[in-house]
Amino acid sequence: MNANFKFQKDKILIFGIWNKTSITKLKTHDFLSKISNTQCVFDFSDLEEIDMAGVRFFLALEFDLKKNNISVLKQGLNSRFEKLFQLCEKNYQRIENNINQNSFDFKKIFISLGILSINFLIILKDFINFIGTFFVALILCFKNPKNFRFVSFLYHIENSAFKALPIIILTAMLIGIVLAYQAAYQLAQFGANIFIVDLIGISATRELAPLITAIIIAGRSASSYTAQIGVMKITDEIAAMNTMGFRSFDFIIIPRVMALIISMPLIVALSDAVSILGGMIIAKINLDISFSEFIRRFKEAVELKQIIIGLAKAPMFGFLIGAIACFNGFKVKNTTQSIGIYTTKSVVSTIFWVIAFDALFSIILTMAGI
């Protein structure tokens, strides 16, 4: 039998079986729209069965009626059902549906923007403090080079840069191939085959090779740094280090960040060479430009400043990746779930700031006429 009800004068007669299956199609609004009195009486005299789901439905209905200034009176409940109602009423908590959920609320938008702005400023202040502490520790290392962890520095160069070379070489080769392949068809239509060298040489060395290399290192090393530091924080290694008088910046941060600052220009230089090699191969295959002719034109068309600009950005990319990754590692809380959260934040933040810095650098250089 289904859950049934019937309106009779100032009463609502409840009968049938009210359980989790039979009430699925019922809504409290079906009742609210038909009740106009200031008091509503539920008559349960003919109720056959009810479970907690059914009781919850009536409690929700009672909540909505009282909210509309309509008092509720229950009658006809037998002792078993009454005890069930009493038990559920003790633990019932109504979570109101937000009727205006889809409406445009300026107040909530401004509150949300305010909260986001404050959180951003707090993170920015912490990051500036972190960078300041990093440079102070770095200056102290320069004053006393024995404090610099050279073995750790070499270890991070190997893991962050040297072991990333296969994927960087492959990606750089693909960049050169794609650039040349896309340009070859367009240039051939105008008989300007030789200009493929200009296009590949400038775009690869100045922009694409450094940027793509930085993005790969950000995805690979930023997550690694954050996870490593996060685990050290959870296992209290950092706290133990500070307790014993060892500065965590000397042991943890400086070797990692310096490893990226030093190795990034070398990786970018290799990436430049491989991407140009990829372009040379496509130029030879599609446009019949020999390697010697390609190199001759490259020397004429691509100024040294284009390569230097690409290489000059690399240390800054390395610093951004290392600093942001280590900063997020120190933000990890004492849960394993927190490591995943901050690792993701670290990768997203480093990639965003690398791209943002590259865009800013390009605008400044363009405005300066370089």
Side-chain angles (χ1 to χ4, degrees):
M1 183 177 285
N2 295 328
N4 290 314
F5 61 92
K6 182 179 180 182
F7 284 88
Q8 188 181 70
K9 295 182 179 178
D10 58 342
K11 287 185 179 179
I12 302 176
L13 305 179
I14 308 298
F15 54 94
I17 298 174
W18 291 67
N19 58 26
K20 63 180 182 181
T21 306
S22 61
I23 66 168
T24 51
K25 294 182 180 178
L26 291 178
K27 305 291 182 188
T28 57
H29 297 295
D30 299 336
F31 291 82
L32 291 172
S33 60
K34 295 177 182 176
I35 297 173
S36 57
N37 298 329
T38 56
Q39 185 181 53
C40 178
V41 178
F42 289 106
D43 188 345
F44 295 96
S45 302
D46 296 322
L47 178 64
E48 294 184 26
E49 191 60 57
I50 189 168
D51 65 2
M52 284 193 174
V55 173
R56 191 208 62 80
F57 178 84
F58 281 107
L59 293 177
L61 179 57
E62 184 178 345
F63 181 92
D64 290 340
L65 288 169
K66 288 181 177 176
K67 192 176 176 183
N68 292 328
N69 298 319
I70 301 173
S71 62
V72 175
L73 179 63
K74 295 190 281 289
Q75 66 180 30
L77 278 172
N78 64 36
S79 59
R80 184 164 64 91
F81 295 153
E82 190 170 2
K83 287 180 181 177
L84 184 61
F85 263 89
Q86 291 173 353
L87 175 65
C88 292
E89 282 172 350
K90 288 181 182 176
N91 302 293
Y92 178 74
Q93 183 178 6
R94 180 67 188 273
I95 300 173
E96 291 186 77
N97 292 326
N98 189 2
I99 297 172
N100 297 321
Q101 191 172 3
N102 296 323
S103 62
F104 196 76
D105 192 337
F106 278 106
K107 184 179 177 182
K108 288 184 178 178
I109 291 173
F110 280 117
I111 290 172
S112 300
L113 284 175
I115 293 171
L116 285 173
S117 301
I118 290 171
N119 289 337
F120 175 75
L121 289 174
I122 291 171
I123 295 172
L124 183 63
K125 187 194 77 173
D126 291 344
F127 185 69
I128 291 172
N129 285 335
F130 178 85
I131 296 299
T133 310
F134 168 79
F135 280 112
V136 169
L138 190 62
I139 291 169
L140 291 176
C141 272
F142 284 138
K143 286 185 177 178
N144 189 3
K146 289 181 181 177
N147 290 336
F148 186 70
R149 314 299 298 178
F150 191 69
V151 176
S152 177
F153 167 72
L154 293 179
Y155 169 81
H156 289 298
I157 285 183
E158 180 187 2
N159 280 280
S160 305
F162 185 73
K163 290 185 178 178
L165 287 182
I167 185 66
I168 288 173
I169 290 172
L170 179 61
T171 308
M173 178 68 77
L174 291 175
I175 290 171
I177 289 173
V178 170
L179 268 178
Y181 197 78
Q182 293 297 322
Y185 175 75
Q186 301 296 334
L187 293 172
Q189 292 184 78
F190 300 100
N193 297 5
I194 195 63
F195 288 107
I196 193 172
V197 182
D198 305 47
L199 190 148
I200 295 170
I202 295 173
S203 56
T205 56
R206 178 167 174 143
E207 291 294 338
L208 289 177
L211 183 62
I212 298 297
T213 302
I215 289 173
I216 292 172
I217 293 295
R220 189 180 180 280
S221 299
S223 57
S224 173
Y225 283 4
T226 303
Q228 288 170 4
I229 297 171
V231 170
M232 292 172 73
K233 193 175 179 187
I234 286 179
T235 55
D236 291 330
E237 288 181 59
I238 296 176
M241 195 179 293
N242 291 329
T243 303
M244 289 186 289
F246 298 110
R247 289 199 299 264
S248 53
F249 268 75
D250 291 349
F251 283 79
I252 299 171
I253 310 299
I254 291 177
R256 285 175 168 81
V257 177
M258 290 305 295
L260 286 181
I261 291 174
I262 299 298
S263 59
M264 277 297 289
L266 304 176
I267 302 173
V268 170
L270 179 64
S271 183
D272 287 349
V274 174
S275 58
I276 290 167
L277 177 63
M280 288 172 67
I281 294 171
I282 296 301
K284 171 68 176 174
I285 295 172
N286 281 10
L287 300 176
D288 199 25
I289 297 175
S290 67
F291 288 175
S292 58
E293 189 178 357
F294 189 102
I295 293 171
R296 182 190 59 78
R297 177 63 186 176
F298 185 86
K299 289 178 180 175
E300 292 175 0
V302 182
E303 297 177 57
L304 184 60
K305 72 175 184 181
Q306 309 291 356
I307 300 172
I308 292 174
I309 287 172
L311 293 176
K313 290 188 285 187
M316 194 61 203
F317 287 156
F319 172 74
L320 284 174
I321 294 166
I324 293 172
C326 293
F327 172 73
N328 279 305
F330 274 84
K331 300 286 283 184
V332 168
K333 311 297 180 188
N334 290 325
T335 61
T336 51
Q337 185 183 12
S338 180
I339 293 179
I341 292 171
Y342 280 97
T343 301
T344 306
K345 282 185 180 180
S346 178
V347 173
V348 174
S349 300
T350 49
I351 291 175
F352 169 78
W353 285 110
V354 161
I355 294 173
F357 172 78
D358 187 63
L360 181 66
F361 202 72
S362 297
I363 291 169
I364 292 172
L365 290 180
T366 304
M367 291 177 69
I370 301 175

